[in-house]
Amino acid sequence: MDGVRHRQREQTHRRLLRESRRLFAERGYAAVGLTEIVAAAGMTKGALYHHFDSKGDLFREVLREVQGEVAALVAATADAEDDPWDRLLAGCRAFLTASTAPDVQRVMLVDGPAVLGWAEWRAMDEAASARHLTDALTGLIELGTIAPRPVEPLAHLLSGAMNEAALWLAGSAHPGRDLDDAWAALARMLEAFRVR
């Protein structure tokens, strides 16, 4: 019986996350109420409060899910490359491409910092993906592909540049063309770090 209850709780949890993510992505955190979320999920507020303390807590988990998916996609894309430099380029491009998805833009880049505050959003961002970028840069420095330098500020600068490019793409009237332009600019910036 405990196994059945556990599966039911997990299904309820997943349904609340799925419907919340859909609504937050479509209309934004501020425009979505708990009543609407539970109605879309076909449950009660009591069921929601059994799983989440608040709307903010629910949003935090939706954001964690989105960040995790983006990080997994970036890592998988980068890991498909044999050459360490190509891995860095592929991962950076995968991030920019993933960030053009409307739900990623709204939840991760627009509402994330606004709802949770910059410090908490940044900590979650670092936990989800900064390690991959830091590891890639550290490896390239060890190989001599990038000149020796402190990795942490470089990783923060690149992460900030990519997040800003993603926010710019979120407001683009021509996302395909602008993605290519953003990638070209980022690739040139990355090349500047490469030892010739």
Side-chain angles (χ1 to χ4, degrees), residues 80-143:
E81 299 293 331
D82 292 328
D83 179 74
W85 180 255
D86 291 339
R87 277 197 293 275
L88 175 68
L89 296 179
C92 291
R93 175 136 191 161
F95 173 80
L96 284 182
T97 302
S99 68
T100 63
D103 65 328
V104 172
Q105 291 173 343
R106 170 67 85 164
V107 171
M108 191 171 87
L109 299 169
V110 176
D111 283 348
V115 172
L116 301 180
W118 175 253
E120 184 176 356
W121 177 84
R122 186 69 186 123
M124 289 177 68
D125 183 54
E126 285 187 24
S129 63
R131 181 182 50 82
H132 298 292
L133 182 57
T134 301
D135 289 349
L137 293 169
T138 300
L140 288 166
I141 289 170
E142 289 170 356
L143 289 170

Side-chain angles (χ1 to χ4, degrees), residues 39-61:
M43 43 192 73
T44 65
K45 280 190 182 177
L48 184 140
Y49 284 122
H50 182 73
H51 292 270
F52 303 98
D53 293 334
S54 64
K55 181 179 158 185
D57 187 39
L58 177 58
F59 178 81
R60 187 175 288 105
E61 191 155 339

Side-chain angles (χ1 to χ4, degrees), residues 4-20:
V4 171
R5 273 192 285 234
H6 177 73
R7 279 193 302 278
Q8 288 172 335
R9 278 194 303 271
E10 190 60 32
Q11 288 172 345
T12 299
H13 192 84
R14 292 296 320 146
R15 191 170 19 182
L16 285 165
L17 281 176
R18 183 181 62 242
E19 292 304 323
S20 298

